[in-house]
Amino acid sequence: MANRVTLIPGDGIGPEVTEAAQRAIAATGVALAWDRQDAGYETWEREGDPLPRRVIESIRESRVALKGPTKTPVGGFRPINMPLRSEFDLFAGIRPCRAYPGVPTRHPETDIVVVRMTHEDLYAGVEFGRRDGATAELRQFIARTHGTELPGDSAITIKWLSGGACRRVVRRAFAYASEHGRRRVTAVHKANVMKESDGVFLEAAQEVAAEHPDIEFDDRRVDSLCCELVMRPDEFDVLVMPVFYGDFVSDLGAGLVGGLGMAPGVNLGDDCAVFEAVHGTAPKHAGRNRANPFALMLSGVMMLRHLGEPDAADRLEQAIVEVVREGRAVTYDLTPSRDVQSAAGTSEAANAVIEKALT
Ligand code: ATP
């Protein structure tokens, strides 16, 4: 029976790149039963809920989703990725950054994988607004217990990290390293400043590393890692970190391998996986047939491997690699001039991949 996959087109460039990815996946010959479910900003406008129950139910049944980016209005609802991550316990974000021949990069040897926590930390949404009554109470509590007086017009965002959640994601990073023949895992933190929260992460990473003597382990402070990455990315392999640092480091990684149009990813749990590119909705390109569909197609490659379809995955990846190497049917972001007028559009780039995947 065909694997069932929930397809969430999303907002902005999402519908264009998901359509392209869906067509490219079909060209490999693999049979998937797609269940299309709208979610995100437009769904919120239409249905009053950016993540209706039907979407949750579909993913619960499929246990695999391919998702386009979804827009989050500033001051509006929380990003739908947050409830998705908690609903399905998608505790690890895995974002490979690999420079394929032909992409615009100063570091063609880059081949790193960012594994980031998705639970806890600064993005968990535990926030206290300037005018919330609870904020005044919290300020008083901090003054009483810590001796620090926060200004009366402060807003507060809580960062926390627990040993259990840190160990779990670091174990996932080591598992990824052994499954993919990777030699080294680097824990990324700022434990010299955030001695308590990042200290928990570093200690957990060291504990888990001791269980894996076959894989090298070291750690870096996030600031010096960024400097080293832009100078010598080839010295790194698998990088594991809390969600906040992971947000920036994975965009940096994308920049090393040709940009956000080339950066795939997955949010992974023990029972469920949501495959999604690193990029957002890129509203200025939406509906203009300009966006690079390869990041989502490469997320599709990861999805096919997850579904036990390695031949289809190889076929699709190879087709993308060839189109990128030839450099003729690529979107503006992969061209030397970055000129949108003369570059191929989303659908032409997809057609070129499909032609290669079919032959
Ligand atoms: P959001 O608020 O949804 O994160 P954003 O535009 O702020 O949207 P991204 O969507 O991540 O952030 O994109 C930042 C920029 O990177 C875009 O404006 C665009 O120039 C480029 N970009 C992102 N994704 C793509 C893509 N698939 N193809 C081409 N360019 C892209």
Side-chain angles (χ1 to χ4, degrees), residues 211-256:
E211 299 164 7
H212 297 272
D214 48 321
I215 293 174
E216 286 173 48
F217 171 76
D218 61 0
D219 70 276
R220 286 287 189 287
R221 294 176 188 168
V222 62
D223 44 354
S224 66
L225 172 87
C226 289
C227 178
E228 284 185 74
L229 267 184
V230 293
M231 292 172 76
R232 298 180 298 277
D234 54 306
E235 289 184 9
F236 293 94
D237 199 339
V238 176
L239 305 167
V240 61
M241 64 201 77
V243 63
F244 182 64
Y245 308 140
D247 200 20
F248 304 107
V249 172
S250 57
D251 267 39
L252 193 161
L256 291 168

Side-chain angles (χ1 to χ4, degrees), residues 13 260-261 279-285 291-292 332-333:
I13 59 171
L260 287 165
H279 64 70
T281 55
K284 68 180 180 203
H285 297 309
N292 186 345
Y332 81 95
D333 53 314

Side-chain angles (χ1 to χ4, degrees), residues 288-306:
R288 308 178 83 171
N289 191 35
R290 283 179 179 179
N292 186 345
F294 295 165
L296 195 67
M297 283 188 196
L298 289 166
S299 308
V301 169
M302 295 171 75
M303 182 184 82
L304 289 170
R305 297 218 163 94
H306 175 86

Side-chain angles (χ1 to χ4, degrees), residues 116-127:
R116 63 171 202 165
M117 297 177 72
T118 57
H119 295 329
E120 307 192 341
D121 198 9
L122 276 170
Y123 284 2
V126 180
E127 296 209 281

Side-chain angles (χ1 to χ4, degrees), residues 2-5 25-26 29-35 303-304 307 309:
N3 280 308
R4 193 187 127 112
V5 174
I25 290 169
V30 75
L32 298 179
W34 298 99
D35 180 30
M303 182 184 82
L304 289 170
L307 289 172
E309 297 283 359

Side-chain angles (χ1 to χ4, degrees), residues 23-319:
R23 287 200 292 126
I25 290 169
T28 65
V30 75
L32 298 179
W34 298 99
D35 180 30
R36 185 193 151 121
Q37 293 288 339
D38 289 326
Y41 185 76
E42 286 179 20
T43 305
W44 172 70
E45 284 189 318
R46 242 186 352 257
E47 300 179 37
D49 183 354
L51 185 64
R53 205 65 219 161
R54 57 176 169 72
V55 187
I56 302 283
E57 274 152 23
S58 170
I59 301 176
R60 192 172 306 291
E61 198 179 321
S62 320
R63 294 172 39 221
V64 175
L66 184 66
K67 176 181 171 296
T70 40
K71 175 173 153 185
T72 308
V74 176
F77 55 82
R78 290 169 70 206
I80 69 162
N81 281 355
M82 288 183 177
L84 270 182
R85 285 172 199 159
S86 26
E87 183 78 35
F88 296 107
D89 193 18
L90 306 173
F91 65 93
I94 300 183
R95 299 177 158 188
C97 305
R98 179 166 172 204
Y100 291 103
V103 296
T105 177
R106 293 197 178 96
H107 295 287
E109 66 289 0
T110 309
D111 184 9
I112 57 173
V113 181
V114 176
V115 179
R116 63 171 202 165
M117 297 177 72
T118 57
H119 295 329
E120 307 192 341
D121 198 9
L122 276 170
Y123 284 2
V126 180
E127 296 209 281
F128 296 86
R130 270 183 302 180
R131 290 181 254 290
D132 296 353
T135 313
E137 249 178 79
L138 189 53
R139 279 202 315 271
Q140 284 161 15
F141 175 79
I142 292 169
R144 204 171 59 245
T145 56
H146 194 265
T148 300
E149 300 272 353
L150 304 190
D153 57 351
S154 304
I156 301 172
T157 301
I158 303 288
K159 163 165 178 150
W160 82 99
L161 291 169
S162 71
C166 293
R167 278 190 294 277
R168 193 177 183 206
V169 81
V170 178
R171 283 206 176 94
R172 190 57 241 161
F174 273 93
Y176 185 96
S178 20
E179 286 156 17
H180 294 81
R182 300 271 177 167
R183 65 192 153 82
R184 179 159 146 234
V185 173
T186 302
V188 181
H189 60 87
K190 190 73 183 173
N192 56 324
V193 176
M194 280 169 279
K195 295 179 199 308
E196 298 301 335
S197 53
D198 281 22
V200 166
F201 176 79
L202 181 57
E203 194 183 291
Q206 287 163 340
E207 259 176 67
V208 174
E211 299 164 7
H212 297 272
D214 48 321
I215 293 174
E216 286 173 48
F217 171 76
D218 61 0
D219 70 276
R220 286 287 189 287
R221 294 176 188 168
V222 62
D223 44 354
S224 66
L225 172 87
C226 289
C227 178
E228 284 185 74
L229 267 184
V230 293
M231 292 172 76
R232 298 180 298 277
D234 54 306
E235 289 184 9
F236 293 94
D237 199 339
V238 176
L239 305 167
V240 61
M241 64 201 77
V243 63
F244 182 64
Y245 308 140
D247 200 20
F248 304 107
V249 172
S250 57
D251 267 39
L252 193 161
L256 291 168
V257 301
L260 287 165
M262 292 302 293
V266 60
N267 284 326
L268 195 65
D270 287 331
D271 300 318
C272 189
V274 176
F275 293 83
E276 179 174 21
V278 172
H279 64 70
T281 55
K284 68 180 180 203
H285 297 309
R288 308 178 83 171
N289 191 35
R290 283 179 179 179
N292 186 345
F294 295 165
L296 195 67
M297 283 188 196
L298 289 166
S299 308
V301 169
M302 295 171 75
M303 182 184 82
L304 289 170
R305 297 218 163 94
H306 175 86
L307 289 172
E309 297 283 359
D311 294 343
D314 290 348
R315 205 179 172 92
L316 179 54
E317 185 176 22
Q318 203 43 45

